[in-house]
Amino acid sequence: MKIAFAATEAVPYAKTGGLADVAGSLPKELEKFGCEVKLFIPKYSSIDEAEHKIHYNWDIGEMPIRVNGMIRSVHIHQSILPDSNVEVNFVDCPHYFHRGSIYTNDKDEDERFILFSKAVIETLQRMKWAPDVIHCNDWQTGLLPLFIKDNYSWDKLFDKTATLFTIHNIGYQGRFTKSVLLSAEIRSELFYPGGPVEHNGSVSFMKAGIVFADILNTVSNKYSHEILKPDLGAGLDGLLRERKPDLFGILNGVDYTIWNPETDKYIPYHYSKDDLSGKIKNKKYLLEHFQMPFDENVPLIGIISRMVAQKGFDIFEEALGDLMNLNAQWIILGSGDEHYEELFRLLSLDIPQKVSSYIGYSNELAHLIEAGADMFLLPSRYEPCGLNQIYSLKYGTVPIVKKTGGLADTVQDWDEWNHYGHDTGTGFSFEEHSAQALYSSVLRAVNYFGDKSVWNKIQQNGMMKDYSWKKSAEKYVELYRLAKSKRS
Ligand code: ADP
Ligand code: GLC
């Protein structure tokens, strides 16, 4: 099967969050199931051509693409995704993609991804390559299914091309003013209250994706049900209920060639479930790095996260007093809302023996925290999948999570499972989004940490879990077939 995979970030080229991990690993696995995959991402100025062996494609040449009435000159550069045959196509348009960050608050943010979506389609035309499925991801590629069915429907090349739209996070919808109709050349008949591209008076890229894609999916099973309700549907739950027969949940896999304590290239000491001695050395190394005291018996709790309300920093802040009274140390990596960044900065200054934070982005440190911490906290208000708790399981770093979305699908509470006589629990979780519930879970974890045999069992249970892409990629292939059947 031929798959065009369109995403706005992908490891190892550009990353702000989990979408990059998915776009950089799922295509590789799809290949193993006989798919021919072409990956498309924008060519941001931060992507190093030499490092990634990226070269210009002369056959495609210059593509003039009109956005907001202006013709932009677009070019394609190519490379191969490491350890695979996946062709990576970098959409080059310096006007839109040479900015200080991958996503911006610039007033032409809509135009940037209109151009990207059109460029994917026009590149396929120039290649004369008709994919069976164009796999779109999140709002940035939400207009692509509409373009295929409307703007480019004249092109017979795409007569049998289906679209799959993966919702990684319904909370980010790409809503812009009505002017998008003109800049993207969307027929104005599609915009009316409740219409296919309209949401509360604005044009919604996410809504367009949900309306026009042949098949939809989310990145965990639980989240596919949660978004059908007003609480987590972000205003699109009604529409999603209408499309329920076409909506599926497929849990993200992870790339164990990158995230594995036995081979991780960023950590000083490798270890495995049969010999955890390297883990404690990593803990020592990590604490030394932050100039914090090391004590084997004091648990180190790690947080790696975008610092936004979605990730549960509201209840963390509310529980702060109690949490800081626990006999535990904390290392926090992240950036985002100024309020939370400042909170952690101050906390690290106040109680440096107990708390350290790194405000910013560091892939290397993310690996080191996974390896060196004893526990990992992710108290998200909602979490479509979440990857760090899955990495944590593999690293023997016991996750403490809220029972929502992918967190609920991947972490089994020790007490709950033990209660039924199954000592299969892999972490700690709580149901209610409250400071009290969060605190109780952390307290339980800290208490169990003192009981080495229980703790070791929890670690072992987690380290044995296999969340590699194999099963999930197979499910994607099934969805591609289903999508395809809708277009034949
Ligand atoms: P989301 O995509 O919602 O941010 P995920 O858990 O799916 O959440 O993915 C987050 C990814 O980004 C993980 O691979 C995590 O290690 C990484 N990450 C998040 N914040 C940082 C940071 N400050 N520095 C390095 N990596 C980070
Ligand atoms: C989104 C979600 C996260 C998910 C990631 C990759 O960023 O917030 O839960 O893991 O996409 O699918």
Side-chain angles (χ1 to χ4, degrees), residues 18-19 22 168-169 219 252 306 310-311 383-387:
L19 170 61
V22 173
H168 293 263
N169 192 335
V219 288
N252 283 333
R306 289 185 290 115
Q310 179 211 330
K311 299 292 181 179
E383 194 60 73
C385 177
L387 296 173

Side-chain angles (χ1 to χ4, degrees), residues 283 286-287 292 298-304 316 323-324 326-333 354-356 369 372-378 397-398 400 442-443 445-446:
K283 176 175 175 178
L286 177 63
L287 286 166
M292 294 168 83
V298 176
L300 173 62
I301 309 179
I303 295 180
I304 304 167
F316 182 88
L323 290 173
M324 293 306 130
L326 290 170
N327 188 22
Q329 290 173 299
W330 301 78
I331 290 184
I332 297 122
L333 166 64
K354 244 187 154 145
V355 182
S356 280
I369 293 176
D374 298 299
M375 306 168 187
F376 184 87
L377 178 64
L378 191 49
T397 306
V398 175
I400 307 167
V442 178
L443 180 63
V446 169

Side-chain angles (χ1 to χ4, degrees), residues 15 17-18 21 304 306 311 333-334 360-363 386-388 391:
K15 168 165 169 174
D21 298 64
I304 304 167
R306 289 185 290 115
K311 299 292 181 179
L333 166 64
Y361 185 89
S362 166
N363 185 39
L387 296 173
N388 275 113
Y391 301 148

